[in-house]
């Protein structure tokens, strides 16, 4: 069956942007929904250049009021080069009611400064390191209403600009932070006294369940919780100063905040780049759950990233700086995305690192699968892979190697590579030119069957969980129930839900342990466990012998799947260890438009042992060979069939 399409309706209005240029705006409306319907306010700024400026459609926080009238709002801004303001309300999957809509100006945009690249001085670096430490502590742990409503992106940018050249560091830090943390004290010798709240006042502290960002339905939540007693935190800052501030305060209620979105700022500005490093470094410093296993010297990464950010000539160059910093986390989910360069594409020729060589897997008229690429534009693939790995965050060598190898033959749309190729079983080389003009990676580069399901031999069935779906699996169940052997292909990311597990076990199956960080004071991380799968058996039970194929590119949800196979010994696992990275991601956006992805929770195997950097190991280790690729064979699948036949 095909699900019924969602009903969709939209009311909108377009307004001349001229009276609103350079202004902060708020679109507000009263909305009432019922049943399964939901609503979304939206605002879009159309630019004179034909592009789009500010945009928000509440896609991450849809409105469901269940019959009650409530006001909702979008805070945004009108770009100085805007042409029109388009705004409206969407109704999804049913009727909604809208009333009392308004568009108001809430303030002026700050004047953007664009500082040119220049190196950091030793004093500038020390000042920025002190600012970075204090910024993270006040932003994430000071429970004042001023801190709750602050525009922390703007504080990071203007604070970095102001503090770098400060001669009186204590005075400058106080000027930056005391407006959002009035009880903060900075000192160099004896700590000053901080006035204790009255004994009859109820105290609260900030509690982080992961890095909470206020998104509806998010796994990660930040909130204030009751505190038992008055508590302060003292920290020694780089350079010798100290600071003290309260971790618990009487509860107050913050007025509605109206921070500017990260897209307002430009990474052409040096201080914006420094601020993005400061913001990202602190998020990982306080919330990354794997520092205990990756053994990264995170403090050492801060000066490296600040030095690079200070001199990066372009937003694209700064993206490389951010990627290198995230790479040091050794997190397979870790990456930094942005839209700063020209469009990229693949060449028609693809290759993988096989038997310590760069072997063609998808060829053309001049290059055949199994041929070896010995040079790309005169450089060895091994050197290029090592260079690419500096920007790849990976918990395991196999994931880093595979990701880097996949990137080598991609580049700006229309650009060309000169490939020096040695044919399989040949000695002479030739140079072939290929152009980046392919926009989707072929799904079958590893010679797996052309269809997602197939009867390979009488009674032996194949199902590719990375290409199939729930409907196809359900339709195939009657045949799988009669099979003598089933090969499940997990070389990649599955498209099926975990429901298929109900047919491969006679007992309940649970996923690995999922632990979300709980942080309520600096440097103290505990974990809360929950939200794990509990899969109950369901007819028909598949009696067939089961074999699973996997590789180093299987990550995240694929590892949740393979972890169950490993823990409950559902079948043999053929291939190589998986990527060793699992857990819900927790993305955030930095000033200048950089989208950062990383793992926000800790996943531990069923038996309590480490998963990160280990992955799911095969019971039968096997990798493709150059000869097998040249012959068009799927050697892992061949081995799976042999295992099933031997088990009859």
């Amino acid at each position: 069956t095909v699900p019924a399409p969602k009903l969709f309706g939209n009311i909108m209005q377009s307004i001349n942007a001229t009276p609103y240029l350079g202004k902060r705006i708020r679109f507000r409306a009263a909305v009432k929904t019922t049943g399964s319907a939901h609503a979304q306010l939206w605002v879009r700024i159309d630019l004179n250049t034909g592009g789009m400026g500010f945009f928000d459609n509440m896609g991450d926080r849809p409105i469901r009021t269940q019959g009650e009238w409530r006001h909702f709002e979008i805070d945004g801004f009108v770009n100085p080069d805007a042409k029109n303001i388009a705004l409206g309300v969407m109704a999804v999957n049913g009727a909604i009611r809208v009333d009392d809509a308004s568009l108001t100006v809430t303030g002026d945009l700050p004047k953007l400064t664009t500082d040119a690249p220049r190196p950091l001085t030793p004093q500038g670096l020390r000042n920025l390191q002190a600012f970075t430490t204090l910024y993270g502590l006040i932003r994430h742990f000071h429970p004042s209403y001023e801190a709750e409503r602050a525009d922390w992106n703007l504080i990071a940018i203007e604070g970095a600009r102001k503090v770098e050249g400060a001669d009186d560091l204590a005075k400058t830090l106080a000027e930056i932070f005391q407006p959002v943390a009035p009880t903060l004290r900075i000192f160099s010798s004896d700590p000053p006294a901080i006035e204790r709240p009255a004994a009859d006042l109820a105290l609260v502290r900030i509690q982080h369940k992961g890095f909470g960002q206020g998104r509806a339905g998010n796994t990660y939540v930040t909130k204030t919780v009751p505190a038992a007693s008055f508590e302060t935190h003292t920290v020694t800052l780089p350079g010798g100063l100290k600071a003290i501030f309260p971790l618990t305060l009487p509860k107050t209620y913050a007025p509605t905040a109206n921070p500017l979105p990260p897209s307002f700022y430009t990474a052409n500005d040096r201080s914006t780049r420094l601020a993005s490093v400061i913001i990202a470094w602190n998020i990982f410093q306080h919330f990354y759950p794997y520092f205990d296993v990756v053994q990264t010297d995170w403090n050492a990464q801060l000066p490296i990233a600040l030095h690079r950010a200070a001199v990066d000539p372009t937003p694209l160059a700064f993206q490389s700086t951010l990627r290198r910093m995230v790479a040091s986390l050794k997190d397979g989910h870790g990456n930094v995305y942005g839209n700063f360069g020209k469009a990229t594409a693949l060449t028609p020729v693809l290759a993988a690192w096989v038997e310590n060589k760069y072997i063609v897997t998808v060829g053309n008229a001049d290059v055949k699968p199994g041929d070896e690429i010995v040079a790309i534009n005169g450089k060895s693939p091994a050197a290029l892979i090592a260079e690419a790995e500096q920007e790849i965050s990976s918990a395991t060598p196999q994931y880093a190697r595979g990701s880097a190898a996949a990137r080598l033959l991609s580049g700006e749309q229309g650009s060309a590579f000169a490939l020096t190729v040695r044919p399989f079983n040949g000695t002479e080389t030739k140079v072939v030119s290929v152009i980046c003009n392919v926009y989707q990676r072929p799904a079958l580069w590893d010679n797996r069957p052309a269809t997602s399901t197939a009867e390979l031999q009488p009674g032996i069935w194949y199902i590719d969980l990375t290409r199939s779906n729930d409907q196809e699996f359900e339709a195939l169940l009657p045949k799988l129930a009669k099979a003598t052997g089933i090969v499940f292909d997990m070389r990649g990311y599955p498209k099926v839900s975990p429901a298929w597990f109900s047919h491969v076990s006679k007992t309940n199956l649970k996923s690995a342990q999922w632990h979300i960080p709980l942080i309520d004071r600096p440097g103290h991380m505990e974990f809360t466990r929950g939200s794990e799968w509990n899969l109950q058996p369901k007819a028909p039970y598949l009696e067939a012998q089961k074999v699973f194929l996997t590789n180093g590119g299987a990550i995240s949800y694929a590892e949740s799947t393979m972890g169950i196979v490993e823990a409950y010994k559902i079948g043999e696992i053929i291939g190589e260890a998986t990527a060793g990275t699992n857990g819900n991601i927790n993305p955030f956006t930095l000033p200048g438009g950089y989208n950062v992805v990383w793992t926000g929770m800790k996943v531990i195997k069923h038996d309590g042992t480490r998963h990160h950097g280990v992955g799911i190991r095969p019971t039968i280790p096997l990798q493709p060979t150059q000869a097998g690729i040249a012959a068009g064979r799927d050697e892992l699948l061949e081995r799976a069939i042999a295992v099933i036949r031997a088990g009859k």
Side-chain angles (χ1 to χ4, degrees):
T1 60
V2 179
K6 287 187 176 181
L7 302 175
F8 172 82
N10 184 39
I11 54 175
M12 66 168 291
Q13 184 173 354
S14 183
I15 303 169
N16 188 308
T18 301
Y20 300 90
L21 297 179
K23 303 291 185 182
R24 299 176 186 241
I25 59 171
R26 176 173 293 160
F27 175 43
R28 188 172 190 261
V31 180
K32 181 168 76 170
T33 70
T34 56
S36 61
H38 76 258
Q40 293 170 226
L41 307 186
W42 63 272
V43 176
R44 186 189 71 234
I45 306 301
D46 299 322
L47 306 181
N48 281 306
T49 57
M52 183 172 65
F54 172 81
F55 175 75
D56 185 358
N57 69 355
M58 299 185 72
D60 61 346
R61 55 195 192 284
I63 299 168
R64 294 181 175 90
T65 65
Q66 296 301 312
E68 295 183 7
W69 281 104
R70 289 176 54 194
H71 279 90
F72 296 87
E73 55 197 33
I74 290 177
D75 287 315
F77 65 93
V78 181
N79 303 70
D81 58 342
K83 179 180 181 181
N84 295 307
I85 304 172
L87 51 82
V89 184
M90 295 184 291
V92 182
N93 208 33
I96 66 168
R97 293 183 180 274
V98 184
D99 199 357
D100 194 27
S102 62
L103 178 68
T104 57
V105 173
T106 59
D108 295 323
L109 291 176
K111 301 268 190 238
L112 287 182
T113 302
T114 306
D115 292 337
R118 69 177 187 279
L120 290 175
T121 65
Q123 177 189 351
L125 176 62
R126 286 194 301 271
N127 287 359
L128 285 170
Q129 287 178 294
F131 172 74
T132 299
T133 300
L134 199 52
Y135 173 92
L137 293 171
I138 300 302
R139 176 181 179 180
H140 298 302
F141 297 102
H142 192 275
S144 68
Y145 84 87
E146 293 93 345
E148 184 180 346
R149 70 185 297 271
D151 188 334
W152 284 103
N153 286 338
L154 186 59
I155 290 173
I157 295 168
E158 295 306 320
R161 199 185 317 274
K162 187 175 184 179
V163 80
E164 182 182 352
D167 292 323
D168 190 338
L169 181 58
K171 179 181 177 182
T172 303
L173 290 173
E175 290 173 350
I176 294 169
F177 288 112
Q178 283 185 341
V180 293
T183 50
L184 167 70
R185 300 292 181 265
I186 299 171
F187 58 99
S188 57
S189 55
D190 296 330
I194 294 184
E195 183 179 353
R196 299 175 68 91
D200 60 343
L201 291 177
L203 301 178
V204 296
R205 69 188 315 129
I206 296 177
Q207 182 189 77
H208 301 278
K209 186 180 179 183
F211 175 50
Q213 302 171 67
R215 296 194 300 267
N218 193 16
T219 302
Y220 309 106
V221 178
T222 292
K223 59 184 179 181
T224 56
V225 297
S229 61
F230 182 64
E231 184 179 344
T232 62
H233 181 75
T234 303
V235 60
T236 300
L237 304 175
L241 289 175
K242 297 182 179 181
I244 185 171
F245 65 92
L247 293 173
T248 61
L249 282 174
K251 174 62 179 176
T252 55
Y253 293 91
T256 302
N258 186 15
L260 289 164
S263 59
F264 172 73
Y265 304 100
T266 173
N268 287 307
D269 172 47
R270 177 177 178 272
S271 294
T272 299
R273 298 193 300 273
L274 293 172
S276 290
V277 169
I278 290 164
I279 294 167
W281 186 89
N282 270 297
I283 290 172
F284 297 129
Q285 164 75 1
H286 296 294
F287 304 108
Y288 184 54
Y290 286 115
F291 278 129
D292 62 327
V293 298
V294 299
Q295 301 300 312
T296 292
D297 185 351
W298 189 238
N299 287 324
Q301 296 303 314
L302 179 60
I304 294 172
L306 288 173
H307 273 301
R308 287 180 59 98
V311 297
D312 278 329
T314 65
L316 184 61
F318 180 56
Q319 180 173 268
S320 174
T321 292
L322 290 173
R323 284 180 170 172
R324 286 168 181 259
M325 183 171 71
V326 172
S328 69
L329 295 173
K330 301 176 185 177
D331 174 12
H333 283 139
N335 209 338
V336 181
Y337 302 94
N339 187 22
F340 306 108
K342 296 181 180 179
T344 61
L346 300 165
T347 71
V349 173
L350 300 180
W353 194 249
V354 176
E355 297 179 323
N356 292 319
K357 294 178 285 187
Y358 198 45
I359 303 301
V360 174
T361 55
V362 175
N364 61 10
D366 300 311
V367 184
K368 305 302 180 186
D371 291 354
E372 180 188 359
I373 299 175
V374 297
I376 302 173
N377 292 339
K379 295 183 178 180
S380 77
L384 292 172
I385 286 175
E387 183 179 328
E389 285 181 342
Q390 295 181 41
E391 294 187 16
I392 294 173
S393 195
S394 175
T396 58
Q398 63 269 20
Y399 185 76
R401 177 199 64 219
S403 299
R407 294 184 187 184
L408 293 194
L409 297 181
S410 65
E412 290 185 2
Q413 179 180 325
S415 62
F417 289 110
L419 306 182
T420 304
V421 179
R422 179 182 293 116
F424 176 64
N425 282 338
T427 56
E428 300 295 324
T429 61
K430 60 181 178 179
V431 177
V432 176
S433 179
V434 291
I435 298 175
C436 296
N437 58 6
V438 176
Y439 304 99
Q440 187 172 0
R441 184 174 297 276
L444 306 178
W445 67 266
D446 48 11
N447 296 319
R448 67 183 71 184
T451 58
S452 60
T453 64
E455 188 173 20
L456 305 174
Q457 295 181 10
I460 301 178
W461 278 87
Y462 168 87
I463 180 165
D464 188 340
L465 299 177
T466 72
R467 289 186 288 154
S468 191
N469 55 44
D470 288 353
Q471 291 77 20
E472 290 175 342
F473 183 83
E474 288 291 330
L476 194 64
L477 266 177
K479 295 178 180 178
L480 296 179
K482 299 177 182 178
T484 56
I486 306 172
V487 181
F488 295 89
D489 202 333
M490 188 61 74
R491 288 175 288 182
Y493 199 85
K495 292 183 178 179
V496 296
S497 75
W500 66 274
F501 271 117
S502 298
H503 301 285
V504 299
S505 175
K506 294 180 179 180
T507 60
N508 284 16
L509 301 176
K510 292 186 177 181
S511 58
Q513 302 179 29
W514 299 344
H515 297 262
I516 302 176
L518 278 179
I519 308 106
D520 63 5
R521 54 178 57 84
H524 183 77
M525 182 181 290
E526 296 180 348
F527 292 90
T528 178
R529 179 178 173 183
S531 302
E532 296 156 6
W533 300 342
N534 185 11
L535 305 164
Q536 299 179 354
K538 183 179 177 182
Y541 170 69
L542 303 181
E543 298 278 359
Q545 184 178 356
K546 304 162 192 70
V547 178
F548 295 81
L549 311 180
T550 194
N551 60 16
I555 189 171
S556 196
Y557 175 34
E559 295 188 278
S560 294
T561 300
M562 293 306 302
I564 295 174
V565 174
E566 176 187 60
Y568 293 94
K569 297 179 172 54
I570 295 173
E572 297 282 5
I573 302 172
I574 298 177
E576 65 178 341
T578 59
T581 301
N582 200 4
N584 286 19
I585 62 170
N586 193 5
F588 60 88
T589 304
L590 293 171
Y594 298 90
N595 298 309
V596 184
V597 182
W598 58 293
T599 307
M601 70 167 62
K602 176 174 284 190
V603 175
I604 300 173
K605 293 193 177 192
H606 293 72
D607 60 4
T609 60
R610 171 180 164 186
H611 173 86
H612 193 84
V614 175
I616 309 304
R617 294 187 172 120
T619 57
I620 302 176
L622 185 65
Q623 293 178 334
T625 65
Q626 182 181 8
I629 293 171
R633 296 166 51 202
D634 184 345
E635 294 164 284
L636 273 66
L637 182 57
E638 292 174 359
R639 183 64 177 273
I641 295 171
V643 167
I644 290 172
R645 293 186 63 83
K648 287 183 178 180

